[in-house]
């Protein structure tokens, strides 16, 4: 943190502390209705921070790497695509294999390196506890040659060693959510697994020295469930527990940026101040009563704003402007609730469809087609795919005779005589001659997601709206 930022932050703490002490008894004391409004705003403001912190603990407070969990400072590598019955994380991926690591930058920087990736697609987005992308090494930004990065925390001062590129995190903890393309064959899995084995994380003090890094100890009592969904854990905290955690994180681990000063001053009016427990019991009884159901009220507001994740086009919802939020706290909270974390749109855009061209909900009791006109395939510099999800308290792969969860050009689909490409979204096979173009659907409700990696930013582009996915059309013959 620069001296200017420290001065601003120090002044901010002093100002908010003063406001906190004065508000309950002074003329500026909020009414119950105003206090409730402030508390909902504060809950929304901190939702990405609390979601990230709970997720961090659940994923890294372990002794050994298994599944998507690994000790702090170690990668958890996914070696194969999930099977049809996988129910771990909603909307699983069958295009890239994950490599996930949580870092603690409180005592020193970490060195991250990857080998020569050749022409293979890969991406290592890094997210602060607040959830914005703070670095995005990958084929688009840094190329496929071997690279070494120095990931530093908010208070680190020092010289970056030669040959390293610094990525600075504004929070003590940071997560790397790496993705490496695999085509789903055993031969290619082996190649990707060999690359994953060469992804390195090393404390700066141990870099270039023999010996294994120390494994972070497991906390036997993290304060909440290690197995419940983060949303459930957060709701169970209640009003006081939530704001207590937020105040603790704001104190040192996730210092708020200067642009958040107005929000912090507003929160201080009801006693939400960095470094201090939230004194709910010390508030006026009428104010205290107004704050009892804040978690559910705030989550309802977040749900109501779900559309802020993107825009609608031809039955598709297209995410826009994710990974960067500024002071748009509601959009950040919506993404934390429904799409934690989120790539920069320059790296990936994931449109999904819920209705057909007539506005009716998609359902496997009908047959559908998705046709890309000649020259109108998804415009990407990376690659694209269409994934089928059944809907059952989440979005899940659909078991089918082909064991096919996605369809893309790697399936060698057949083009129509006019150069267009038609994909068949239905439960039953469209016939052997069309199975190369078939994405099997469940018998009930379903949701297709179009993954576009490195979407084109000029000419036809989903980012500027000059290209949009075509509508999904229900077959009239079914």
């Amino acid at each position: 943190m620069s001296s200017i930022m420290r001065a601003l932050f120090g002044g901010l703490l002093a100002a908010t502390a003063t406001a906190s002490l004065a508000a309950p008894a002074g003329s500026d004391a909020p009414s119950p209705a105003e206090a409730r409004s402030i508390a909902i705003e504060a809950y929304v403001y901190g939702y990405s921070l609390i979601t990230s912190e709970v997720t961090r603990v659940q994923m890294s407070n372990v002794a050994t790497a298994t599944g998507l969990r690994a000790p702090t400072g170690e990668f958890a590598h996914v070696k194969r695509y999930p099977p049809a019955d996988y129910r771990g994380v909603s909307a699983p991926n069958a295009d890239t294999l994950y490599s996930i690591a949580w870092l603690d930058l409180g005592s020193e920087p970490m060195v991250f390196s990857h080998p020569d990736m050749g022409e293979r697609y890969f991406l290592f987005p890094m997210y602060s506890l607040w959830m914005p992308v703070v670095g995005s090494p990958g084929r688009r930004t840094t190329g496929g040659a071997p690279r070494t990065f120095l990931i530093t925390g908010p208070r680190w001062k020092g010289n970056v060693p030669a040959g390293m590129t610094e990525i600075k995190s504004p929070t003590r903890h940071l997560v790397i959510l790496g993705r490496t393309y695999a085509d789903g064959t055993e031969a290619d899995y082996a190649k990707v697994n060999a690359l994953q084995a060469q992804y390195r994380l090393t404390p700066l003090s141990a870099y270039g020295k023999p010996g294994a890094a120390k494994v972070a100890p497991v906390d036997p009592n993290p304060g909440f469930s290690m197995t419940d969904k983060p949303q459930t854990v957060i709701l169970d905290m209640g009003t006081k527990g939530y704001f207590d955690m937020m105040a603790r994180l704001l104190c040192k681990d996730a210092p708020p940026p200067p642009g958040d000063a107005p929000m912090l001053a507003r929160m201080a009016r009801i006693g939400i101040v960095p470094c201090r427990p939230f004194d709910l019991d010390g508030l006026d009884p009428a104010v205290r009563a107004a704050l009892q159901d804040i978690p559910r009220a705030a989550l309802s507001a977040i749900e109501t704003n779900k559309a802020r994740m993107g825009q609608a086009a031809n039955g598709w919802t297209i995410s826009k402007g994710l990974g960067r939020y500024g002071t748009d706290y509601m959009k950040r909270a919506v993404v934390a609730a429904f799409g934690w974390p989120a790539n920069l749109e320059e790296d990936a855009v994931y449109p999904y469809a819920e209705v057909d061209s007539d506005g009716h909900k998609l359902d496997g009791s009908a047959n559908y087609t998705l046709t890309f006109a000649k020259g109108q395939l998804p415009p990407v510099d990376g690659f694209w795919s269409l994934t089928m999800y059944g809907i059952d308290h989440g979005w899940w792969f659909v078991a089918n005779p082909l064991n096919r969860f996605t369809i893309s050009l790697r399936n060698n689909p057949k083009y129509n005589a006019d150069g267009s490409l038609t994909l068949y979204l239905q439960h039953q096979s469209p016939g052997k001659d069309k199975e190369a173009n078939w994405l099997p659907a469940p018998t009930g409700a379903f949701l297709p997601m179009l993954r576009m990696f490195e979407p084109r930013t000029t000419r036809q582009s989903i980012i500027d709206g000059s290209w949009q996915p075509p509508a999904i059309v229900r077959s009239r013959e079914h």
Side-chain angles (χ1 to χ4, degrees), residues 399-423:
N400 63 85
L402 301 183
N403 198 35
R404 179 183 293 169
F405 309 137
T406 70
I407 192 166
S408 65
L409 296 183
R410 77 181 187 221
N411 298 103
N412 296 314
K414 298 178 181 178
Y415 289 81
N416 300 318
D418 63 359
S420 62
L421 179 65
T422 297
L423 304 179

Side-chain angles (χ1 to χ4, degrees), residues 250-323:
L250 289 169
C251 186
K252 293 181 180 180
D253 292 351
D260 290 353
M263 173 57 73
L264 266 73
R266 186 160 168 77
M267 293 192 306
R269 295 188 62 209
I270 60 171
I272 303 172
V273 180
C275 309
R276 293 188 178 188
F278 177 55
D279 187 12
L280 180 63
D281 292 338
L283 296 174
D284 180 271
V287 171
R288 187 166 64 248
L291 301 190
Q292 290 302 320
D293 68 337
I294 288 303
R296 293 194 179 277
L299 290 176
S300 177
I302 292 171
E303 169 75 27
T304 300
N305 280 271
K306 188 177 179 181
R308 295 183 67 165
M309 283 187 69
Q311 64 185 39
N314 300 327
W316 297 82
T317 297
I318 305 171
S319 59
K320 291 292 185 74
L322 306 187

Side-chain angles (χ1 to χ4, degrees), residues 98-364:
Y98 287 112
S99 295
I100 304 173
W102 281 95
L103 309 185
D104 184 346
L105 308 170
S107 59
E108 65 174 314
M110 293 289 290
V111 179
F112 163 60
S113 61
H114 66 74
D116 189 337
M117 305 298 288
E119 295 300 316
R120 186 179 295 273
Y121 176 88
F122 70 101
L123 178 66
F124 289 101
M126 303 178 185
Y127 304 87
S128 74
L129 283 180
W130 287 105
M131 209 180 64
V133 175
V134 298
S136 194
R139 193 181 72 167
R140 176 183 69 87
T141 56
T142 53
R147 292 294 300 266
T148 301
F149 302 89
L150 184 70
I151 307 173
T152 63
R155 294 174 177 80
W156 184 77
K157 290 183 177 181
N159 297 319
V160 178
M164 298 185 188
T165 300
E166 183 181 13
I167 295 177
K168 194 164 191 66
S169 172
T171 59
R172 172 182 170 180
H173 296 101
L174 170 146
V175 64
I176 303 175
L177 192 54
R179 298 168 174 86
T180 309
Y181 176 79
D183 67 14
T185 65
E186 285 302 317
D188 203 46
Y189 280 145
K191 293 177 182 178
V192 176
N193 296 162
L195 290 171
Q196 290 175 311
Q198 299 175 74
Y199 302 160
R200 298 277 189 263
L201 286 169
T202 311
L204 180 58
S205 62
Y207 186 70
K209 300 176 182 178
K214 294 181 180 179
V215 177
V218 174
D219 183 351
N221 184 26
F224 50 79
S225 170
M226 286 285 291
T227 56
D228 287 343
K229 294 180 179 179
Q231 295 90 337
T232 301
V233 171
I234 294 170
L235 195 59
D236 288 346
M237 291 179 183
T239 302
K240 176 172 171 53
Y242 183 94
F243 290 137
D244 277 349
M245 179 179 283
M246 196 166 90
R248 174 177 61 80
L249 293 171
L250 289 169
C251 186
K252 293 181 180 180
D253 292 351
D260 290 353
M263 173 57 73
L264 266 73
R266 186 160 168 77
M267 293 192 306
R269 295 188 62 209
I270 60 171
I272 303 172
V273 180
C275 309
R276 293 188 178 188
F278 177 55
D279 187 12
L280 180 63
D281 292 338
L283 296 174
D284 180 271
V287 171
R288 187 166 64 248
L291 301 190
Q292 290 302 320
D293 68 337
I294 288 303
R296 293 194 179 277
L299 290 176
S300 177
I302 292 171
E303 169 75 27
T304 300
N305 280 271
K306 188 177 179 181
R308 295 183 67 165
M309 283 187 69
Q311 64 185 39
N314 300 327
W316 297 82
T317 297
I318 305 171
S319 59
K320 291 292 185 74
L322 306 187
R324 304 182 184 99
Y325 307 101
T327 57
D328 192 343
Y329 308 132
M330 179 58 78
K331 185 171 186 176
R332 189 175 68 188
V334 169
V335 174
F338 299 105
W340 182 95
N343 288 312
L344 297 174
E345 62 183 17
E346 299 96 317
D347 285 320
V349 175
Y350 299 158
Y352 62 89
E354 297 180 282
V355 298
D356 62 20
S357 58
D358 295 321
H360 299 139
K361 288 284 187 179
L362 299 173
D363 192 279

